[in-house]
Amino acid sequence: MRSIQVVKFGKPLQMVSSEVPELRGTEVLLKVRAAGVCHTDLHLWHGGYDLGNGRVMPLEERGVSLPLTMGHENVGEIIGTGEEVRGLENGGVYLVYPWLGCGKCDMCSEGKENYCSKPSTIGINRPGGYSDYLLVPHSRYLIPLKSLSPREAAPLACSGLSCFSALRKLDQTILKNRPLVIIGAGGLGLMSIVLAKVLGSKGVIVIEPSMERRKAALEVGALAAFSPEEKNINRLITETANNEILQILDFVGSEQTASLAFDLLAKGGHLVTLGLFGGAAGWPLPLLAIKAITVQGSYVGSLPELRELVELVERHNLKLIPTQERQLADVQQALERLEEGAVTGRFVIAPQE
């Protein structure tokens, strides 16, 4: 089988040929039908996260070793199962939950494998979907698809799940009564606008530097979309909302967006940050107490949340994000375009037959 791998951090990806894995026990082998290209893959490719103040977190500290086949947003067709697998037939098409834990700790026991301190994430800590075939260790991580196409479904495993889990962390009563502010209208931001509407949101106001992405945000239902460079942006947003801002989702996670969100939030406000752009927050600590602001991180989501999300998307026939299909050999180019900020929506890799 062919796989696109990170062989050395920061260097061009390589196409590698290897034998198709042999199956044992609870394992399931999928022929990859679609694999989303996620912004997290840029950090994996470059080998670390910018923590600000000159500090970098090397990916070795997160259990990442090379060579690595990336790709954690995957849909595949079953072509084989281990001897312990029951109830699955070849030919079935499934979305794969990638955020696997150790299976033994308290977090894993509570169904929060995405919070496990010893992760075994597909496409990060174990081979992912930028390949012809994908080995999944257990069938419980497979979610059947009904009406969704592989290309539509693949981004749900990370982008969609991250948005859904973050929205669920907000006060749902406030969500229904006051506009939500979203910083960043990339793939996740656009998905969140659609999901927020289904969850009964009063509306979404977007902050995004790209004119093209601001336009995309308005097209999927945002109340308004402003550039962060707009003069008096805080006043413009509160006037548009006709109220003070109590809830913000930050899909960028930079020093600039953290500062913008902190200043915009009213007393008692809630900031949920998902973005991994990098840097360090510079909030005045006395104001953190005086404004009584809650700052919360959100890291993807749980397997039950992904199952709930897929059911929600299928029930409402939601079109969460525009996708552009590419071939396996195009992964390098797709990552470069993503790094340039030249992607509206999501690239999805579909290996050739």
Side-chain angles (χ1 to χ4, degrees), residues 244-267:
E244 293 182 311
I245 301 302
L246 287 177
Q247 298 190 133
I248 297 176
L249 298 183
D250 181 2
F251 289 106
V252 180
S254 69
E255 296 180 1
Q256 292 75 23
T257 60
S259 177
L260 177 62
F262 186 91
D263 292 342
L264 181 58
L265 279 174
K267 280 189 174 182

Side-chain angles (χ1 to χ4, degrees), residues 167-207:
L167 285 164
R168 284 299 197 199
K169 290 177 172 65
L170 299 175
D171 185 303
Q172 301 300 297
T173 299
I174 294 175
L175 187 69
K176 291 177 173 62
N177 288 285
R178 293 201 190 192
L180 167 70
V181 170
I182 285 178
I183 302 177
L188 277 74
L190 295 178
M191 280 187 170
S192 291
I193 295 168
V194 178
L195 287 172
K197 183 177 181 180
V198 173
L199 294 175
S201 168
K202 181 76 171 179
V204 174
I205 299 171
V206 169
I207 303 174

Side-chain angles (χ1 to χ4, degrees), residues 64-105:
V64 177
S65 58
L66 301 183
L68 170 65
T69 301
M70 298 187 295
H72 54 271
E73 295 183 341
N74 303 305
V75 171
E77 176 185 341
I78 295 179
I79 61 170
T81 59
E83 68 274 10
E84 297 178 24
V85 178
R86 301 289 183 270
L88 292 181
E89 296 182 358
N90 288 357
V93 178
Y94 294 83
L95 175 66
V96 182
Y97 178 77
W99 311 102
L100 316 187
C102 68
K104 302 175 183 178
C105 68

Side-chain angles (χ1 to χ4, degrees), residues 19-241:
E19 295 297 322
V20 177
E22 294 185 5
L23 293 171
R24 297 178 297 178
T26 61
E27 294 174 338
V28 180
L29 185 65
L30 305 178
K31 181 176 178 59
V32 178
R33 295 280 299 275
V37 180
C38 178
H39 201 278
T40 297
D41 293 328
L42 291 176
H43 298 285
L44 292 169
W45 177 28
H46 291 304
Y49 291 88
D50 177 9
L51 300 181
N53 300 317
R55 296 182 300 150
V56 174
M57 182 178 72
L59 284 177
E60 288 88 345
E61 294 182 5
R62 296 192 65 207
V64 177
S65 58
L66 301 183
L68 170 65
T69 301
M70 298 187 295
H72 54 271
E73 295 183 341
N74 303 305
V75 171
E77 176 185 341
I78 295 179
I79 61 170
T81 59
E83 68 274 10
E84 297 178 24
V85 178
R86 301 289 183 270
L88 292 181
E89 296 182 358
N90 288 357
V93 178
Y94 294 83
L95 175 66
V96 182
Y97 178 77
W99 311 102
L100 316 187
C102 68
K104 302 175 183 178
C105 68
D106 290 344
M107 287 296 181
C108 288
S109 298
E110 294 173 8
K112 300 176 182 178
E113 291 191 58
N114 53 309
Y115 290 161
C116 179
S117 60
K118 297 179 180 179
S120 184
T121 305
I122 292 172
I124 296 178
N125 308 104
R126 58 187 301 138
Y130 294 162
S131 181
D132 291 317
Y133 300 102
L134 175 65
L135 184 69
V136 180
H138 199 285
S139 60
R140 68 173 175 268
Y141 301 117
L142 302 180
I143 300 173
L145 300 179
K146 299 174 184 177
S147 59
L148 295 177
S149 71
R151 194 169 89 175
E152 291 175 311
L156 298 181
C158 178
S159 302
L161 178 58
S162 296
C163 299
F164 185 65
S165 185
L167 285 164
R168 284 299 197 199
K169 290 177 172 65
L170 299 175
D171 185 303
Q172 301 300 297
T173 299
I174 294 175
L175 187 69
K176 291 177 173 62
N177 288 285
R178 293 201 190 192
L180 167 70
V181 170
I182 285 178
I183 302 177
L188 277 74
L190 295 178
M191 280 187 170
S192 291
I193 295 168
V194 178
L195 287 172
K197 183 177 181 180
V198 173
L199 294 175
S201 168
K202 181 76 171 179
V204 174
I205 299 171
V206 169
I207 303 174
E208 165 60 50
S210 164
M211 183 181 297
E212 181 180 359
R213 289 181 175 179
R214 291 199 300 272
K215 181 180 177 182
L218 294 172
E219 289 174 349
V220 298
L223 294 175
F226 298 102
S227 166
E229 302 302 321
E230 192 84 44
K231 290 183 179 180
N232 301 315
I233 186 170
N234 288 8
R235 178 176 59 79
L236 287 173
I237 290 174
T238 53
E239 288 179 353
T240 302

Side-chain angles (χ1 to χ4, degrees), residues 4 11-13 45 328-337:
I4 294 289
K11 299 298 182 181
L13 306 179
W45 177 28
L328 190 59
D330 299 327
V331 172
Q332 177 81 51
Q333 182 187 49
L335 286 172
E336 291 171 355
R337 294 274 293 165

